[in-house]
Amino acid sequence: MKFFPLYETGANTGTYALGSTEIEADSTSDAVTQAAQAAPAGCRTGVWPYQMISGTPAAIAPAADENGKQYNVLTEPAGATGSFSANGQVFASIGADAAGMCLSLQKFFGYRLGLIPTDAKPAAAATPANTGSAGSGTTSSGTTGSSTTASTSSTVTSGGTATPAA
């Protein structure tokens, strides 16, 4: 299945921005795990499932470790703004992965739906950089959730900022 990450716009804001990095994952929880690797510190991570062709998705039985997992539903009812927020619904991967339910209901509702685990925790703060002479920096963008490592002499062109090691 294909997903895009949803990153909370700030600690405990409850509003999520759509990331720009496509994720291919076997399950919703696998996609959340992949997306969380680039999450801004202190922010929670969700995912937006999508499919490139129209029609109803085929049911995908959840893997044993996915079965029973629950997700709060994030919606984007104002159209393709890239801003999602919780709407009070909870989907579970029981009988089929919860991502399929999102894909089907997006067509019914006419707006995008995302998922965030009901027990989502904020991303940990970045660890201090190595103090060696060949330090590296990390680039990060809160709206896209992308994160890459760059050397201190690299130029960042992704719109993020680089923080060289001390």
Side-chain angles (χ1 to χ4, degrees):
M1 293 187 287
K2 296 184 185 290
F3 299 85
F4 278 95
L6 291 169
Y7 296 113
E8 196 169 24
T9 57
N12 294 314
T13 63
T15 303
Y16 297 80
L18 184 61
S20 61
T21 305
E22 181 181 275
I23 298 170
E24 181 124 16
D26 293 331
S27 67
T28 301
S29 58
D30 182 33
V32 170
T33 299
Q34 288 182 47
Q37 293 173 4
C43 299
R44 294 173 288 182
T45 303
V47 292
W48 169 59
Y50 83 101
Q51 68 180 30
M52 295 177 59
I53 58 173
S54 63
T56 305
I60 299 172
D65 61 341
E66 174 70 17
N67 195 36
K69 292 203 175 173
Q70 296 184 346
Y71 302 90
N72 290 321
V73 178
L74 303 173
T75 62
E76 187 187 34
T81 62
S83 180
F84 290 69
S85 58
N87 74 350
Q89 294 184 73
V90 176
F91 289 173
S93 292
I94 300 173
D97 193 290
M101 198 170 353
C102 275
L103 290 170
S104 296
L105 289 175
Q106 286 179 135
K107 296 184 183 320
F108 177 78
F109 290 130
Y111 53 81
R112 298 189 288 194
L113 301 173
L115 298 168
I116 183 169
T118 55
D119 61 351
K121 304 283 187 270
T127 56
N130 183 351
T131 58
S133 61
S136 65
T138 299
T139 62
S140 167
S141 173
T143 58
T144 64
S146 64
S147 177
T148 59
T149 301
S151 70
T152 56
S153 61
S154 295
T155 302
V156 177
T157 58
S158 66
T161 57
T163 307

